[in-house]
Amino acid sequence: MRISLIQKDIIWEHKSANLTNYDSLLSGLSRKTDLVVLPEMCTTGFSMQAAQLAEANDGETMKFMRQMARDYGFAITGSFIGKGYDEANDNFNRGFFICPDGRATFYDKRHLFRMGEEPEHYQAGNDKCLINYMGWNIRLVICYDLRFPIWCRNTDNEYDLLVVVANWPETRAHAWQSLLTARAVENMAYVCGVNRVGTDGLKIKYSGDSQLINAYGSVLSSVKPGIEQIQTLEIDKDSLNRFRKKFPVWKDADKFEIL
């Protein structure tokens, strides 16, 4: 499977401008990739203006993403500011995975970044997200989730690829890179982490440092920090399965129950 890492600046709280930029970028990837990975809150940046910016799963952002997936023939994943499913005024940092046929899977971020006041504006999700696409089992998590290994635990090889979409500040770039590698090694899976670049409306700077890492902990990508860049790489499930068979540490993993 071919994966495209979209390391990009995000125009602060301007959905339509960001969507137009993505359309321009992604049109050039038609027939060249199978999965496009965008950063966290890819149409707004890490904004706490949830009440003003939240939208439904059939709103502007998801309609646009579905159309791009259909038109260009690949899956798209990232996150946006999503509305709750009932009459309550609950909003979520909502991950999405849109297949070329329009099929959509959603994931509400489990771990909210309290240092950025995220819990004051968003509700936490409770359900894990597992997608089957092109014969791959893919798990989607969002930014701060990366710090919690039990939440990311790959029990009995339930996933082959962990996708982490983020707005992870430059000041903690070392932690970002280290945790991506740790999740790949301990879970014996590919890990794809895509982070934004640029400076947001709160003057927080992001260096990107987007990476694709294999189950050995080797970095396969060469995305440069601090600049907008797209890189497409191919991952191989057969080699992953051979490694898991040859070195089956997953059989000795501790069993955790997430309540």
Side-chain angles (χ1 to χ4, degrees):
M1 182 170 65
R2 299 165 298 177
I3 303 177
S4 294
L5 288 65
I6 311 295
Q7 179 171 283
K8 193 183 179 308
D9 196 355
I10 300 172
I11 302 170
W12 186 246
E13 297 179 348
H14 200 322
K15 291 185 210 174
S16 59
N18 285 304
L19 288 170
T20 298
N21 285 342
Y22 289 130
D23 192 22
S24 177
L25 288 174
L26 271 54
S27 63
L29 293 172
S30 182
R31 296 187 297 276
K32 297 177 182 177
T33 192
D34 302 302
L35 172 61
V36 163
V37 184
L38 304 175
E40 176 187 21
M41 291 194 183
C42 61
T43 58
T44 59
F46 191 61
S47 171
M48 295 302 106
Q49 299 300 316
Q52 291 76 34
L53 296 171
E55 55 186 301
N57 291 351
D58 59 355
E60 176 187 10
T61 294
M62 288 301 98
K63 285 180 179 176
F64 205 101
M65 293 295 175
R66 281 189 171 94
Q67 192 62 53
M68 286 194 293
R70 289 192 185 101
D71 288 349
Y72 305 137
F74 46 67
I76 307 172
T77 188
S79 92
F80 73 111
I81 301 176
K83 287 184 177 179
Y85 296 99
D86 52 32
E87 296 301 319
N89 293 320
D90 293 339
N91 300 304
F92 296 85
N93 185 342
R94 180 164 293 152
F96 62 87
F97 192 104
I98 309 292
C99 293
D101 62 4
R103 177 170 51 96
T105 305
F106 296 99
Y107 162 69
D108 293 329
K109 186 178 180 181
R110 167 67 172 168
H111 299 91
L112 302 180
F113 188 59
R114 67 177 61 250
M115 289 70 80
E117 301 181 352
E118 193 176 10
E120 297 178 24
H121 302 276
Y122 298 90
Q123 298 296 313
N126 294 308
D127 298 323
K128 295 192 294 183
C129 178
L130 192 66
I131 305 112
N132 184 269
Y133 175 62
M134 294 184 63
W136 289 77
N137 290 320
I138 302 169
R139 175 86 185 273
L140 173 62
V141 297
I142 301 173
C143 203
Y144 193 43
D145 285 332
L146 179 64
R147 286 186 177 268
F148 301 92
I150 294 178
W151 183 245
C152 298
R153 171 68 88 184
N154 191 11
T155 304
D156 296 326
N157 292 333
E158 67 180 358
Y159 67 78
D160 309 304
L161 168 66
L162 179 68
V163 174
V164 189
V165 299
N167 276 207
W168 196 290
E170 182 181 47
T171 54
R172 294 185 290 279
H174 177 70
W176 162 254
Q177 296 171 62
S178 299
L179 291 168
L180 288 173
T181 301
R183 297 295 88 86
V185 172
E186 70 193 10
N187 291 304
M188 299 192 76
Y190 287 99
V191 172
C192 178
V194 171
N195 188 28
R196 66 162 293 177
V197 292
T199 301
D200 70 14
L202 302 176
K203 308 303 180 186
I204 298 172
K205 187 176 181 181
Y206 302 86
S207 57
D209 299 290
S210 302
Q211 294 185 344
L212 179 63
I213 303 169
N214 67 16
Y216 293 90
S218 301
V219 178
L220 306 179
S221 53
S222 57
V223 179
K224 294 179 173 60
I227 63 171
E228 292 188 322
Q229 188 175 349
I230 299 174
Q231 186 174 16
T232 301
L233 304 109
E234 190 164 0
I235 57 176
D236 177 39
K237 192 173 179 183
D238 289 339
S239 64
L240 175 63
N241 288 336
R242 287 194 298 271
F243 178 46
R244 286 172 168 175
K245 183 176 181 180
K246 180 180 179 180
F247 197 66
V249 297
W250 56 274
K251 292 183 177 181
D252 300 313
D254 300 303
K255 302 297 181 182
F256 293 100
E257 183 178 350
I258 299 174
L259 302 177

